[in-house]
Every structure is written in C-alpha cells, then in structure tokens.
Amino acid sequence: MALYLSQLMICLRPINLLLIFGMVCLGIVFGAIPGLSATLGIALLLPVTFGLSTETSFILLLAIWIGGVSGSFISAVLIGIPGSSSSIATCFDGYPMTLKGESHKALAVGITASFLGTFFSVILATILSPIIADFALTLGPWEYFSLCFCAITLVASLSKGNIWKGLMAAGLGLMLGCVGMDPINGTQRFTFGNTNLSAGISTVAQMLGMFAMCQIIRDSARGEAKMPDAETSRKKGFGITIMDYFENLRICLFSFLVGLWIGFLPGMGSGISNMVAYGYAKSTNKSKIPFGEGNPSGIWASETANNASLGGALIPMMALGIPGDGITAMLISALTIHGLQAGPLFMTSQPDLAMLIFACVLVSAIVTFIVQIMTKNWFAYILRIPYHFLYSVILIIAYIGGYGISNTMFNIYVMLALCLLSLFMSIGGLPTSPLVLAFILSSKLEGYFRRAISMDKGSYEKFFTRPLSLILLLLAVFCVIWPYLSDYLKKRRADKG
C-alpha cells in the first residue's frame, strides 16, 4: 500500500498532472472522431517515448488510452457513428435519445458509466495482478507456452468471418516475429544479409504502418472523410439524478463483471463486452421505453462494460505478460522499448513502475471524468474538425516517428510495406488483431517451447501431463472446433424442429 501511495503521489505532481490532462484531452478527441482511436493515438506516441523516461512515457500512453476509450461514446451519441468498436452498442440507444432532444442526458450517462467502469476495474486490477503474478511464478515453460498458444488461438477464433483467416493472420504474425535474432542461441535468421533486420522488425514501425497509415488510406478510399452535423445546443446541469444511478445499479453491476471478465480474456476486449452487456440489459428490460428507441439503460450497460474491460486487460498484461487487447499489446511494446519485460517477474523486479501504471490509470480516469463534465457542451465541436487537417498531421507524425526509430529510412520502408500488407489483408478479409498479438508473443512462444523441450531432454510429454498445460491446449483446440460444432448443433436443432 505504501508503494502504491508513493507512486500515486508521483502522478499527482503538477508536471505529471499537466501531462495527464493534455493527453486525456487528446485521447478524448481521438476517441470521439470516427476513424481515429486510442490505438492510433498510442501508435503515434510510441516513437516519442524513445527520448523520455519510462515513468513519463507510461503517463503519456496510459492517459491517452483512458481518454480515447472513454471518448468513443461521444460520436455514438451525437451522430450515431461509434468512435470505435467499443461503443457500437452505445449507438443503439444513444443516438435515438439525441433525435428526441435528450443528448444532454445521454452524454451524462455515457460520462458516468465510463468513469465507473474504469475506476472500479483498475482498483480490482491493482489488487488481483500481484496475486496472479505470484501464482504465475510457480509455473514452468510448458504452461507459459500453452498460455501463449491458447491466447493466439482464442484471438484467431474470435475474428470476424472464417476462423481459418484468423489463423492465417496469426501465422503471418509468427513469421514476422521470426525475423532477427534467435531468442535461444542468438544467431541471426531471415535477415537476408540486411543488418537493419538483425534486431527484428520494429514494433513501432509495425504499429504506425498497420494502424495509422492504413487507417487513413482505407478511410480515404471508402469516402469516409465526412460526418453529419452534430447537435450544438447548450444545456445547464449534469443531466442525470441520483435515482438514475439506483435504477440502473443491477445493469451496471452485471455489465461491470462482464467487461472485467471479457477484458481479462486475451484478444476479446471492449469491442465484444459492450455487445454482450447490451444484450443482457435488453433481455431483462422492464422499462416502458423499448431498447433501440432511446432507453438510457442501453448506454449504462455498454459504457460500463467497455470501460471495465480496461482493468480486465491490465491484469494479464501486468501479471502474465499476455496482452488482453490490441492496446495492451502496444503497452507491452513500450515496455520492451525501455528494456523491460512484462510478466510475473515484472511485478517483483519493477514493483514501483507496476504500481505507477495502476495509479496513473486511476488518476487518468478521474481527470477524464472531470474534463468531460466541464466540456460536455463542446463535444459537438470536436466532431467538426476537418479530416484533411487531422490526416495530414497524422501522416507527418507517422513519418517522423518511423524515421526516429533508428534515424534511417529503412524503418520508413518497413512501415510502408506493412501498410501495404494490412491493406491486402483488409481486401482479403484477414483480421489484423491475430497478426499483432502473434507478432508480440512470437518470441515468448518460441522461447518457452524450446526451453521446455531442452529441460525435458527432447520430450514433449510434459505439455500433456502437466494439468494446467493440458487444459490450456485443450481450450485452444476447442476454440478452433467450436464454430463448426456450434453450426452442427444448430443444424440438428433446426432439423428436429
């Protein structure tokens, strides 16, 4: 507790509070504008962290993350277009409330639900992560390999469309992760004689190419660079009462638990949790207002769940070194940039930084809540920022960041090549999430596998005889066969009916 309080005091220093305030505001802007996101904001900030201390770097990255995820409900409410996949369900009732002249209340619900989900989930993450890390220290390379393998398979199986496309994308990620230095004996491989590849493909170049540049090109090609006008009327007061909290307490509690659990599972995240929570709230609705026609409970459910996923995703990242979603994968990359390794040993070897991360998320959540309350009447003007200004700035930052990785043009070429790869994957229907997760985990997956084989003198037996390792491997297999098994069961029920 003393360590946590000392790191909390660091976050509350005037200069750090100012940084958090600035990044939260920037994150809200990125989250509110469809096409931009917290993911893009972190990708653009990663190169900047090279010249900063580890503490300052994470204060910047975490603040823009919290602001971005929370801000995505703004466009969902005001114009019916979610700022990111985490607020898709918010559109269903948020925008109808705006059409009925209740945008003031809808925004107030979104602000409050987002804060409650983030605030309490990070408190639980702070308590649970050290406990899980202590347990993880008792595991061997067999369990860690199975855990990484299960995480990649789970993400691939949850990808939209054909599961084999998800597995193919994960395979591409593992191939990209093999470039560079062998994690066991240190020899170079797949570098084709190019010394620039001796350290592997830059994670920062990958993020900038596959997220920042690819997003801009896709949006321009689809003609998605314009948005409808948003309501700009100003209203006094907050918009909700104490009774609104109590009336939706049950929905908020369930949505919080759903978001926390789904955030904990690798690769699922807020994009799924908001839909699951909304479905529950809709199925238990006893209000006279139908869901989809402006029921505030839909916003309570969606925004509580998607923000609770933040704390859930922090737990596997901090305790196990496994990213819970795409953004925590980038945060793990940020640790790598600063010579640190996420996982159980991180909690014991760098406890001060671990507690700083939890404290910074907590402070960022509070600052986000205050900023959104103070600027609620200005939200509509955020959505009027011309796209051509934003995209020009983003491209410039991406090129500067790519060059700044090694002060050579090579990483610019890597960034462009990965942008093209992402575009071709988009055309072919291959999701990028499995690729990113597999790329991040590739060295761990290989390292744990080869270490386990070496420790057991070439035998594969312990992968299947150690209980936890076997359970994780069976879960990975189940993730692959479940879509087909589910279709078969549905077909049998239909035939019987």
Side-chain angles (χ1 to χ4, degrees):
M1 178 59 76
L3 180 60
Y4 179 81
L5 291 176
S6 67
Q7 298 306 308
L8 185 60
M9 289 300 105
I10 291 176
C11 292
L12 295 176
R13 289 174 183 170
I15 183 63
N16 289 334
L17 266 180
L18 187 61
L19 287 174
I20 290 173
F21 173 78
M23 288 302 102
V24 159
C25 292
L26 186 61
I28 291 172
V29 172
F30 269 80
I33 298 176
L36 309 185
S37 63
T39 307
L40 177 59
I42 289 180
L44 294 173
L45 270 181
L46 273 179
V48 178
T49 64
F50 279 108
L52 301 174
S53 67
T54 306
E55 291 80 6
T56 304
S57 299
F58 273 89
I59 286 172
L60 294 175
L61 295 171
L62 293 168
I64 199 170
W65 175 32
I66 301 304
V69 174
S70 180
S72 64
F73 78 88
I74 296 172
S75 58
V77 168
L78 294 180
I79 58 176
I81 302 173
S84 68
S85 61
S86 65
S87 292
I88 290 175
T90 308
C91 291
F92 301 158
D93 286 282
Y95 190 53
M97 286 182 71
T98 296
L99 294 177
K100 294 193 297 184
E102 297 178 353
S103 63
H104 189 59
K105 181 176 182 178
L107 290 172
V109 171
I111 291 170
T112 308
S114 297
F115 170 71
L116 293 175
T118 306
F119 184 82
F120 289 107
S121 67
V122 74
I123 289 176
L124 280 177
T126 307
I127 297 169
L128 295 177
S129 292
I131 298 171
I132 295 174
D134 288 341
F135 169 73
L137 287 172
T138 64
L139 306 179
W142 303 272
E143 287 84 5
Y144 277 114
F145 166 79
S146 301
L147 179 62
C148 293
F149 182 74
C150 182
I152 294 171
T153 308
L154 180 61
V155 175
S157 67
L158 290 169
S159 303
K160 294 179 180 179
N162 194 323
I163 184 177
W164 298 109
K165 290 184 177 180
L167 293 173
M168 190 184 300
L172 287 172
L174 292 174
M175 289 173 60
L176 292 174
C178 288
V179 176
M181 191 174 291
D182 187 297
I184 300 297
N185 55 34
T187 58
Q188 293 186 12
R189 57 190 184 182
F190 305 115
T191 59
F192 306 101
N194 191 325
T195 56
N196 291 299
L197 287 173
S198 58
I201 294 173
S202 167
T203 306
V204 177
Q206 184 209 31
M207 299 301 177
L208 290 172
M210 300 193 76
F211 287 98
M213 297 186 68
C214 185
Q215 183 72 52
I216 292 170
I217 293 171
R218 270 204 305 258
D219 287 348
S220 299
R222 293 170 179 168
E224 295 178 355
K226 293 182 179 179
M227 291 184 295
D229 291 334
E231 181 187 357
T232 57
S233 60
R234 292 175 174 269
K235 295 182 179 179
K236 295 181 180 180
F238 186 46
I240 55 176
T241 63
I242 296 295
M243 285 304 299
D244 290 311
Y245 293 104
F246 289 108
E247 287 174 1
N248 293 278
L249 184 61
R250 178 179 52 82
I251 288 174
C252 288
L253 182 59
F254 178 84
S255 301
F256 174 80
L257 295 174
V258 166
L260 192 71
W261 173 245
I262 291 181
F264 178 80
L265 298 175
M268 296 184 74
S270 54
I272 297 174
S273 63
N274 78 106
M275 298 296 293
V276 173
Y278 183 86
Y280 167 79
K282 184 177 181 180
S283 66
T284 59
N285 179 41
K286 296 179 181 179
S287 171
K288 294 179 180 178
I289 305 173
F291 268 57
E293 297 183 15
N295 191 323
S297 297
I299 306 176
W300 282 107
S302 172
E303 290 303 312
T304 302
N306 63 24
N307 284 270
S309 296
L310 301 182
L314 273 177
I315 296 173
M317 170 196 155
M318 299 294 291
L320 304 172
I322 304 291
D325 55 17
I327 297 181
T328 46
M330 291 189 185
L331 294 176
I332 288 178
S333 302
L335 284 172
T336 306
I337 288 171
H338 290 274
L340 300 171
Q341 184 74 37
L345 290 175
F346 176 72
M347 298 291 294
T348 54
S349 62
Q350 299 285 338
D352 50 347
L353 182 57
M355 290 299 109
L356 178 72
I357 289 173
F358 292 126
C360 184
V361 174
L362 190 71
V363 173
S364 298
I366 295 170
V367 172
T368 301
F369 182 61
I370 294 171
V371 168
Q372 288 181 335
I373 289 174
M374 294 173 61
T375 60
K376 185 153 63 79
N377 288 323
W378 302 351
F379 285 167
Y381 296 102
I382 295 176
L383 304 175
R384 293 188 174 185
I385 301 174
Y387 263 86
H388 53 275
F389 291 146
L390 286 169
Y391 284 174
S392 301
V393 171
I394 290 169
L395 279 175
I396 292 170
I397 293 174
Y399 277 112
I400 292 173
Y403 183 81
I405 298 168
S406 59
N407 292 326
T408 65
M409 285 296 293
F410 180 77
N411 280 309
I412 296 288
Y413 303 142
V414 171
M415 196 167 66
L416 292 170
L418 291 172
C419 176
L420 287 174
L421 174 63
S422 184
L423 287 171
F424 283 122
M425 289 176 65
S426 180
I427 293 169
L430 270 68
T432 56
S433 296
L435 186 150
V436 172
L437 185 67
F439 178 77
I440 296 294
L441 294 179
S442 58
S443 61
K444 291 185 177 183
L445 189 75
E446 180 184 1
Y448 289 135
F449 179 77
R450 292 173 62 180
R451 201 172 299 137
I453 295 298
S454 177
M455 289 173 65
D456 209 25
K457 299 179 180 180
S459 173
Y460 299 89
E461 182 181 347
K462 285 189 178 179
F463 285 109
F464 306 101
T465 57
R466 292 174 72 100
L468 183 58
S469 175
L470 178 61
I471 291 170
L472 290 169
L473 290 175
L474 290 175
L475 181 60
V477 173
F478 178 76
C479 289
V480 175
I481 66 173
W482 171 248
Y484 299 98
L485 183 62
S486 177
D487 291 341
Y488 172 74
L489 293 175
K490 287 179 182 177
K491 188 176 179 182
R492 283 196 62 180
R493 289 195 197 100
D495 293 340
K496 289 181 179 178

